[in-house]
Amino acid sequence: MGADSNNKPRVLSGIQPSGNLTIGNYLGALKQWVEVQHDYDCFYCVVDLHAITVTQDPLELRQKTRESAAMYIAAGIDPEVSTIFVQSHVPAHSELAWMLTCMAPLGWLQRMTQFKDKSAKQAQESIGAGLLNYPSLMAADILLYHADLVPVGDDQNQHLEFTRDLAQRFNHLYGETFTLPSVMNPQAGARIMGLDIPTAKMSKSEDSENHAVFLLDDLARARKKIMRAVTDSHRDIRFSDQAERAGVNNLLTIYQAIAGERNEEIEAKFAGCGYGDLKRAVADSVVSTLEPLQERYYQLMNEAGYLDSVLRLGREKAAAIAEATLKLAQERMGFLAPS
Ligand code: TYM
């Protein structure tokens, strides 16, 4: 187990700085991160090495990396309690990723739904090899810290299974080295869908105007997007897994993820209401979540030097653990230690 000196189990998770963070990222990941930070020894990483699996504009990547780190803090991660760092600042991630890539069966990688989806959108010759190997890098992120738990949205569950399988393979071949991590999905909000196409996951890289609410959207705009969300021609407001009711289900899920109430309580609350009422209630709860978060975010971005000092300290704490694990894995694999 990856417990620290206080014997708390360890948590690791990350978000790609590949665009603006959405309420999907918040409800699926960030919100859980904040909730668990006092009970676990938490490491939260801005995974810039993952972002380059598709081409990024260099200036924008640098900017988004800082913005993401600031957003972690604005969302409620306390840098005095949790470790916040940038993935590329700790070279052990790339080094272990290579070792794991060499052990990862191609068949496992090709079966990953995310790879299949993303590669289906591109011509075969132009798909970067990083897109295929990406789960080995994610496995390295997790295994370097001996993480016990990984809080993520449910689109990452398959990558977690891959991580466990690969860790087991390594342990079997070279001796007990890595902790097998467990996935942690939020009770509500593990998969927030697009507001315009509620059968597709809300994504930060989708460009259509009413698809996602971004955490930094102007509040009036966020409200407007929710008021325009696709619903259906039924009248009753109920949770449902039917595709034609996905829009209403998604609005109820967003509401639930913020309010933390049970299905029946929420359905009772909206009994006899129209879709307009539901949308207004969802918009109110989203806006009241975003407002304080945005305020903290802009304050932080204006505080010269603060973010850099958080990331510097985070790098030091992360690197100490990651380097020790890397060294052990290298020894086990048979690398000659430098004299
Ligand atoms: P990424 O950057 O796509 O998403 C970051 C986190 O947000 C969650 N998420 C969602 N949750 C609910 N509904 C949605 N629509 C939604 N969209 C995104 C994701 O599940 C994720 O938790 N491979 C990861 C990043 C990563 C990582 C790691 C995560 C790299 N190394 C190690 C955990 C541990 C990714 O691309 O997430």
Side-chain angles (χ1 to χ4, degrees):
M1 193 163 90
D4 71 349
S5 49
N6 299 319
N7 263 342
K8 285 183 185 164
R10 193 165 284 150
V11 156
L12 178 130
S13 198
I15 299 181
Q16 295 192 44
S18 52
N20 296 316
L21 303 194
T22 70
I23 55 166
N25 298 126
Y26 177 75
L27 299 174
L30 272 172
K31 189 166 178 288
Q32 297 192 84
W33 298 5
V34 175
E35 286 161 3
V36 300
Q37 68 179 333
H38 293 284
D39 299 326
Y40 296 91
D41 179 28
C42 297
F43 287 75
Y44 297 127
C45 180
V46 181
V47 291
D48 52 351
L49 296 169
H50 277 88
I52 60 162
T53 51
V54 295
T55 310
Q56 301 289 336
D57 175 77
L59 278 179
E60 210 166 296
L61 178 62
R62 203 166 293 129
Q63 179 67 16
K64 295 281 173 232
T65 301
R66 297 189 95 251
E67 287 178 11
S68 301
M71 192 53 86
Y72 291 6
I73 303 171
I77 307 292
D78 179 351
E80 307 268 328
V81 174
S82 305
T83 304
I84 300 174
F85 69 105
V86 175
Q87 187 186 28
S88 67
H89 292 179
V90 181
H93 289 249
S94 305
E95 295 179 65
L96 183 64
W98 172 249
M99 292 155 68
L100 296 176
T101 294
C102 294
M103 294 182 49
L106 198 53
W108 293 7
L109 292 166
Q110 283 169 331
R111 268 200 296 280
M112 294 292 124
T113 312
Q114 203 165 65
F115 170 70
K116 288 198 276 191
D117 288 350
K118 289 197 175 172
S119 58
K121 293 184 187 150
Q122 293 178 41
Q124 184 76 23
E125 321 76 75
S126 66
I127 301 167
L131 209 53
L132 178 71
N133 287 323
Y134 163 117
S136 304
L137 177 59
M138 181 160 159
D141 302 338
I142 297 166
L143 300 178
L144 278 173
Y145 298 89
H146 298 292
D148 300 286
L149 274 180
V150 181
V152 282
D154 72 6
D155 60 329
Q156 299 301 317
N157 291 6
Q158 199 186 22
H159 292 153
L160 253 294
E161 275 168 42
F162 171 92
T163 301
R164 289 174 64 91
D165 290 345
L166 207 56
Q168 246 165 340
R169 196 178 170 92
F170 191 103
N171 288 350
H172 178 72
L173 283 170
Y174 302 110
E176 251 348 270
T177 306
F178 296 126
T179 303
L180 300 192
S182 299
V183 71
M184 184 186 203
N185 294 138
Q187 276 186 340
R191 181 172 293 244
I192 301 297
M193 311 306 277
L195 297 174
D196 55 347
I197 314 174
T199 46
K201 192 191 72 168
M202 183 182 283
S203 155
K204 50 175 127 65
S205 49
E206 186 61 58
D207 334 299
S208 59
E209 171 63 21
N210 287 321
H211 174 78
V213 173
F214 295 106
L215 298 181
L216 291 177
D217 268 347
D218 168 81
L219 298 177
R221 188 154 174 219
R223 184 177 288 282
K224 206 185 245 174
K225 287 179 179 176
I226 293 167
M227 295 309 291
R228 290 191 177 156
V230 167
T231 51
D232 56 43
S233 54
H234 295 259
R235 300 179 66 89
D236 56 330
I237 297 178
R238 277 190 295 109
F239 286 92
S240 163
D241 51 17
Q242 285 177 311
E244 58 158 342
R245 308 226 58 195
V248 170
N249 191 67
N250 192 38
L251 290 169
L252 285 169
T253 303
I254 295 171
Y255 185 86
Q256 183 171 42
I258 296 173
E261 293 164 4
R262 286 180 297 118
N263 287 18
E264 309 80 69
E265 286 176 89
I266 295 173
E267 287 173 352
K269 188 174 279 175
F270 290 110
C273 294
Y275 288 165
D277 301 316
L278 170 64
K279 287 178 174 179
R280 260 187 297 280
V282 174
D284 286 346
S285 62
V286 168
V287 163
S288 60
T289 303
L290 296 191
E291 201 169 17
L293 188 148
Q294 293 186 358
E295 208 172 291
R296 282 196 295 270
Y297 173 85
Y298 289 115
Q299 243 170 23
L300 271 167
M301 291 302 269
N302 282 329
E303 227 176 291
Y306 174 68
L307 195 58
D308 297 313
S309 71
V310 167
L311 294 178
R312 205 175 314 120
L313 194 68
R315 186 195 71 80
E316 277 169 26
K317 281 168 73 184
I321 296 169
E323 280 165 16
T325 313
L326 176 69
K327 192 158 169 271
L328 178 66
Q330 286 174 328
E331 237 171 67
R332 293 268 158 90
M333 244 186 167
F335 292 174
L336 177 67
S339 54

